[in-house]
Amino acid sequence: MYRSENCGALRLADVNKEVTLAGWVQKSRDKGFMIWVDLRDRYGITQLIFDESRTNTDVMQLAKSLGREFVIQVKGTVIERESKNTNIPTGEIEVLVNELTILNEAQLPPFTIEDETDGGEDIRMKYRYLDIRRNPVKNSLLFRHKVAQEVRNYLSNLDFCEVETPYLIKSTPEGARDFVVPSRMNPGQFYALPQSPQTFKQLLMVGGMDKYFQIVKCFRDEDLRADRQPEFTQIDCEMAFIEQEDILNVFEGLTCHLLKKFHNLDIEKFPRMTFEEAMTTYGNDKPDIRFGMKFGELNAVAQHKDFAVFNSAELVVGIAVPGGATYTRKEIDALIEWVKRPQVGASGMVYVKCEANNQYKSSVDKFYDQNDLANWAAATNAQEGDLILVLSGPANKTRAQLSALRMELGNRLGLRKPNEFAPLWVVDFPLLEWDEDSARFHAMHHPFTSPKPEDMHLLDTDPGKVRANAYDLVLNGNEIGGGSIRIHDKEMQALMFKHLGFTQEQAQEQFGFLMNAFQFGAPPHGGLAFGLDRLTAILGGQETIRDFIAFPKNNSGRDVMIDAPATIDDAQLNELSIMLNVKA
């Protein structure tokens, strides 16, 4: 037996108990006649004491050789500490060691294995197995486990059945780029790794499974960012014989359960907002409603003077920054430079300080009088002491720019508090969106999303105005889940493929298996998928998902720990009938 207790278990009540512990040496303090060692495992830290008056000489000498991260086993007696440490649960006791075994020596780690480490992100990614020993990463992985466990229990109690779907599937042209896998047994042909189990879960509904879920790995070959990885995990769900309201109620219930479980937060009902309202009011379809700074459209009160920048703009829009009137000119200039960065792309910004006694000071005073600026304040709901920031230009682009500015100011002003949670349903998305590059409509969600019945007549005349029976669940400015009511009729699905530019032959080749299944009695069905990585990070008070994934990729999609992706040898390529044509 390597251990009778773990390193986080012992308390004052265990004094005089004989114990066996095993773990890693966190640190060692040698006073010559006495040595203290902090022994760490997944569960905590226990202080060991080696005392030359109570510990035999051989054990004492061995203790002097211990280095950081040595793996050791000790046997000894629990005693009360003279100098107690109230910062850890085991801080009232220590173990007087009488036997010490070095199970494995360790090289000095490339960074300090402590909560506040001296290791940069690159080196910690390379030695991820060492990084996992640190409490922030370890606790994030344990928290992820608890969230997944709660999800499984909650859905299972509602009669959902977890079903595994294939990882080797057929590539489809819609959505993000696929990761492809060559087939040795079918030369020149390829599998794709699933971007989601979408069609399979629909087929499960045709199969009568009724309520399905799966915590499943998915893959998308797309550019990375803090909240995106090439392989990610979904809580994938589908239900039959339901309408949109049923879906929203079930998964609102799940989210409420998680917020109650992990933050003791009671939320009676999630607010709902249409896609159009979200874009108009916040400039994006996943608004953070923990704080205000709602958009105020200014066309009517800003395009009547000789200011050509505003007069030629499709949209003039502003926000009121609370307390921003105290900003210095240098601080405002820095904000202007921030929105002019390539990542945001604004050409400039106008500002108005709302000063005492209803007085206004702006960067465009020679074009607008006090009455004009008062109208701007009314439109943006600015109060005395606020700062109005105004952008203009093409409507969609300008809203996106102002949205980025609003989120940045929310961070700077401390308005995006990680211990506050504001869930929101965004509904009534457009069914289709126009793509300039391909000069055709694409499905905003996916081609299996049902249009709103009342908008069906617009499909032939004005497809851009057709609303989808789709919904996203937003939490703290992040989309944590999304789904839709699906098309379950073969003719309707064929019509959708037609509007997406598929020929009958292409639709049959790509999705014939699904439309054929619909001929055998497909029930009305719909579903939703949560992003487990992102959901767990937000519930854990963060927005970066990397620490909640055991072995993540870097921003180039590489696993620097195992050095993947990597080349394969010619024999493997020949076996797979692959010829590479890579230019140096």
Side-chain angles (χ1 to χ4, degrees):
M1 181 171 66
Y2 279 109
R3 56 186 179 185
S4 61
E5 330 281 336
N6 64 58
C7 291
L10 298 173
R11 301 292 188 270
L12 206 55
D14 297 303
V15 166
N16 296 325
K17 186 176 182 179
E18 298 296 320
V19 298
T20 303
L21 303 179
W24 290 264
V25 174
Q26 174 81 15
K27 65 175 69 170
S28 180
R29 301 176 296 284
D30 187 349
K31 298 297 184 183
F33 62 92
M34 197 171 288
I35 302 170
W36 290 273
V37 172
D38 287 347
L39 186 66
R40 182 193 72 244
D41 65 8
R42 169 186 145 185
Y43 305 95
I45 289 177
T46 295
Q47 180 170 285
L48 312 177
I49 182 170
F50 300 81
D51 180 358
E52 66 179 17
S53 66
R54 294 177 287 178
T55 305
N56 74 56
T57 303
D58 290 343
V59 173
M60 200 73 184
Q61 285 303 117
L62 194 57
K64 288 180 178 293
S65 71
L66 296 178
R68 280 181 177 266
E69 302 306 311
F70 274 40
V71 185
I72 64 173
Q73 180 194 48
V74 297
K75 295 181 181 180
T77 306
V78 180
I79 63 175
E80 184 173 359
R81 280 176 67 163
E82 291 184 10
S83 178
K84 294 179 173 57
N85 181 357
T86 58
N87 295 320
I88 59 174
T90 60
E92 293 185 298
I93 59 91
E94 58 192 357
V95 174
L96 177 62
V97 177
N98 55 51
E99 291 185 35
L100 168 63
T101 303
I102 296 177
L103 301 174
N104 215 332
E105 295 184 359
Q107 295 183 15
L108 188 68
F111 56 88
T112 307
I113 313 295
E114 292 180 354
D115 291 3
E116 298 296 328
T117 183
D118 55 0
E121 187 172 289
D122 290 344
I123 194 74
R124 289 188 289 111
M125 288 279 281
K126 184 174 182 179
Y127 297 93
R128 182 63 167 181
Y129 46 86
L130 297 180
D131 203 25
I132 291 172
R133 295 181 189 174
R134 297 192 311 114
N135 283 327
V137 181
K138 176 199 72 176
N139 290 338
S140 293
L141 296 179
L142 291 173
F143 183 72
R144 179 192 177 103
H145 160 70
K146 292 175 183 177
V147 171
Q149 188 177 44
E150 287 297 322
V151 168
R152 278 196 165 94
N153 291 341
Y154 186 90
L155 293 175
S156 296
N157 288 336
L158 291 178
D159 291 331
F160 280 78
C161 177
E162 185 165 13
V163 182
E164 294 184 22
T165 53
Y167 277 171
L168 296 176
I169 66 169
K170 186 177 185 178
S171 182
T172 59
E174 290 290 315
R177 288 182 294 272
D178 288 324
F179 283 100
V180 295
V181 180
S183 170
R184 176 185 60 82
M185 298 178 67
N186 300 275
Q189 296 185 316
F190 297 82
Y191 298 105
L193 299 179
Q195 297 183 32
S196 85
Q198 180 61 46
T199 54
F200 288 101
K201 66 180 179 179
Q202 290 189 248
L203 291 170
L204 285 170
M205 296 304 102
V206 177
M209 288 306 294
D210 190 64
K211 291 181 179 180
Y212 142 95
F213 85 99
Q214 183 181 189
I215 297 181
V216 58
K217 189 73 76 176
C218 301
F219 307 86
R220 290 179 187 170
D221 187 8
E222 56 187 359
D223 296 335
L224 307 185
R225 58 189 187 211
D227 63 345
R228 180 183 289 167
Q229 287 274 307
E231 52 180 310
F232 57 98
T233 305
Q234 285 188 178
I235 306 166
D236 198 59
C237 309
E238 197 80 1
M239 301 170 68
F241 302 110
I242 47 80
E243 296 177 336
Q244 176 173 299
E245 198 65 26
D246 302 306
I247 298 284
L248 300 190
N249 287 336
V250 167
F251 296 104
E252 185 170 310
L254 171 58
T255 310
C256 284
H257 173 76
L258 296 174
L259 290 169
K260 178 66 175 178
K261 175 69 178 180
F262 295 110
H263 295 283
N264 198 29
L265 182 63
D266 290 302
I267 299 179
E268 291 188 6
K269 196 69 179 172
F270 293 2
R272 298 183 187 183
M273 184 181 299
T274 66
F275 170 84
E276 184 177 0
E277 181 184 357
M279 296 302 295
T280 301
T281 308
Y282 296 100
N284 69 65
D285 59 2
K286 48 182 184 298
D288 189 337
I289 59 172
R290 285 176 293 180
F291 63 102
M293 284 195 272
K294 294 181 179 180
F295 288 12
E297 296 195 359
L298 304 175
N299 290 42
V301 292
Q303 291 185 323
H304 63 291
K305 294 295 180 74
D306 295 328
F307 190 51
V309 172
F310 284 178
N311 290 343
S312 62
E314 181 183 3
L315 176 68
V316 183
V317 63
I319 56 173
V321 183
T326 60
Y327 285 16
T328 64
R329 180 57 189 268
K330 183 178 179 180
E331 289 173 314
I332 294 173
D333 285 346
L335 284 176
I336 293 172
E337 290 305 310
W338 190 90
V339 299
K340 290 168 71 175
R341 298 178 313 144
Q343 300 95 316
V344 180
S347 56
M349 184 166 66
V350 168
Y351 71 87
V352 182
K353 289 186 174 185
C354 302
E355 299 178 335
N357 302 316
N358 296 319
Q359 295 297 302
Y360 302 95
K361 177 66 178 174
S362 83
S363 56
V364 287
D365 278 345
K366 69 178 181 178
F367 296 102
Y368 297 96
D369 58 30
Q370 290 291 297
N371 186 59
D372 293 324
L373 300 178
N375 289 333
W376 293 18
T380 57
N381 197 30
Q383 309 298 313
E384 182 179 305
D386 291 352
L387 175 70
I388 304 171
L389 300 176
V390 183
L391 298 178
S392 62
N396 291 341
K397 184 178 179 182
T398 302
R399 286 195 178 102
Q401 293 164 351
L402 192 60
S403 175
L405 176 61
R406 175 182 177 270
M407 294 291 275
E408 174 67 15
L409 288 166
N411 287 327
R412 293 188 186 189
L413 295 171
L415 301 175
R416 305 190 68 213
K417 297 175 179 151
N419 59 345
E420 292 183 3
F421 297 91
L424 166 74
W425 286 109
V426 178
V427 298
D428 292 355
F429 281 81
L431 181 69
L432 307 169
E433 57 184 345
W434 183 257
D435 180 69
E436 294 290 345
D437 293 335
S438 60
R440 67 181 180 91
F441 281 107
H442 287 259
M444 191 169 213
H445 282 75
H446 52 62
F448 318 110
T449 297
S450 173
K452 289 274 188 180
E454 59 268 32
D455 290 352
M456 286 287 296
H457 67 283
L458 296 172
L459 266 175
D460 289 320
T461 58
D462 198 353
K465 287 189 177 180
V466 179
R467 294 170 300 161
N469 225 330
Y471 33 82
D472 278 357
L473 182 54
V474 176
L475 184 61
N476 294 0
N478 294 271
E479 177 201 333
I480 60 167
S484 65
I485 301 299
R486 323 300 186 190
I487 297 170
H488 65 279
D489 176 77
K490 178 184 177 181
E491 300 305 320
M492 182 68 230
Q493 188 64 72
L495 180 61
M496 178 58 64
F497 285 139
K498 175 186 174 183
H499 283 286
L500 291 172
F502 286 79
T503 65
Q504 286 187 359
E505 292 75 17
Q506 288 171 330
Q508 184 62 34
E509 179 185 354
Q510 295 292 332
F511 301 109
F513 65 93
L514 183 65
M515 291 193 288
N516 291 341
F518 285 173
Q519 297 180 107
F520 294 96
H525 60 282
L528 179 142
F530 288 91
L532 177 62
D533 311 303
R534 194 178 301 170
L535 171 64
T536 306
I538 295 170
L539 288 174
Q542 300 183 40
E543 291 193 4
T544 302
I545 65 175
R546 191 168 288 162
D547 278 354
F548 294 86
I549 299 172
F551 300 103
K553 307 292 189 290
N554 69 9
N555 287 340
S556 301
R558 294 198 65 82
D559 186 325
V560 295
M561 182 183 67
I562 63 172
D563 194 24
T567 58
I568 59 176
D569 62 37
D570 290 342
Q572 285 178 287
L573 291 172
N574 290 335
E575 193 174 36
L576 295 169
S577 303
I578 294 176
M579 294 181 61
L580 292 184
N581 183 20
V582 179
K583 296 181 180 179

